Structure formats: C-alpha cells, structure tokens
Amino acid sequence: MTRPLDPAKQQEIVQLASSGMTRNEIAKKVGCAPATVSRWANRAGIEFDRSATQSAVAARQMDLKALRSEAALRTIRRVIQLDDMFYGITDIKDLRELAATVRDTSISHFNISRLDMEDDSLVEVKGQFRDFMSDIRENAAFIEWRDKQQILEQPEQPAIEPNHRQDEP
C-alpha cells in the first residue's frame, strides 16, 4: 500500500507544475514517482506539455526506420551475392546450403522490411523470393539427375582376384 503524500509536497507539485517544470524534473525534486506528479497535477487541472516527448519519440522512430532500412539493404545485397553464387554450384550439398542461407537471409529481409513497406511491395518481395527458391529447386533436381546418370554410366569394375603365388606349397 502506498503512503499518502504529504500535503506540503502536494502543494509543491502543483506549484512546480504551474511554473512549467516537467513531470520528471518535479518527481526528482520532490522525491516521488512521476505518476504521482501526474496524478496531483491532473487533480489541479494542470497538463504537462507533451510536445518535447512527442518530438523525441518521432525522432527516435525515424532513427529506427533508418536503421531498419540499412539492415534491409544489407540483407538484400547478401541475397544478390548468393544469387551470383547460385550459377556456379555443381554439388547438391553446396546447393542445399546455399538455399538454406538464401531462405534465412530472405526471411530476415522480409521481417525487417515489412515494418515499413506497403502491402504491394511485400507481395513483390515474396514473389521474388519464391521465384529464386524455385530456381534453386530446379537446379537441385538437375544436379541430382546428373549425379545419378554419372553413377549409371560408370563402367563396372572387374572383380580383383587375390594373387596366388605359384611357389606356395
């Protein structure tokens, strides 16, 4: 249970709030919680100027959007690098590893981008990802087929008989 606020502190909160001091400044000066300051100011019909807080929040949101944009750009660059690697791969294991990396990187890009993108752009990103993964699956099927053909076309090796020496008794 909270202790009742001393009437002198209540009066001081109202006086400081009327003078234009911020809620957090008053809370520090008086030694109480910011919510207590808000409650007593509201009871006295005083509202705090929230424009500084709103400006700070808006600036922070813009900073975070810029950071997300940079991260999205890095992930899309990585997908482009991986796409360039795709055409040189001839081993199925390497192709599967590439596909997993592309999938994970694309999901990261999508998750970062969806916070700031329009729905139409998200549909386009999903479509590009789907197309790229389809290309990887087709290449994987070709590599598997090619590997099977190479195994089938290999000539059978004659069985090697053990050496028998003539001079053994």
Side-chain angles (χ1 to χ4, degrees), residues 4-84:
L5 191 61
D6 178 3
K9 282 191 177 186
Q10 294 172 11
Q11 188 69 17
E12 185 179 6
I13 288 171
V14 171
Q15 186 179 24
L16 293 171
S18 297
S19 72
M21 196 178 236
T22 68
R23 181 185 75 146
N24 290 343
E25 291 171 339
I26 296 169
K28 285 179 186 173
K29 182 171 178 132
V30 175
C32 64
T36 301
V37 173
S38 293
R39 184 172 42 257
W40 286 102
N42 285 339
R43 287 180 184 172
I46 301 168
E47 290 188 21
F48 292 102
D49 179 16
R50 300 198 192 293
S51 62
T53 302
Q54 290 168 342
S55 296
V57 168
R60 179 69 177 147
Q61 287 174 339
M62 287 177 61
D63 290 345
L64 292 173
K65 185 174 182 175
L67 289 173
R68 285 191 304 271
S69 179
E70 289 173 23
L73 186 58
R74 281 193 308 273
T75 59
I76 201 68
R77 284 183 181 147
R78 178 70 176 133
V79 169
I80 290 168
Q81 288 173 341
L82 295 168
D83 185 37
D84 291 342

Side-chain angles (χ1 to χ4, degrees), residues 86-121:
F86 167 71
Y87 296 101
I89 293 180
T90 58
D91 181 67
I92 192 70
K93 182 181 174 196
D94 293 341
L95 186 65
R96 286 189 176 127
E97 287 176 11
L98 175 67
T101 304
V102 167
R103 181 198 63 228
D104 294 346
T105 305
S106 297
I107 288 169
S108 294
H109 174 72
F110 177 76
N111 287 335
I112 293 167
S113 300
R114 73 179 176 176
L115 297 172
D116 301 313
M117 284 183 150
E118 301 286 326
D119 287 341
D120 294 342
S121 299

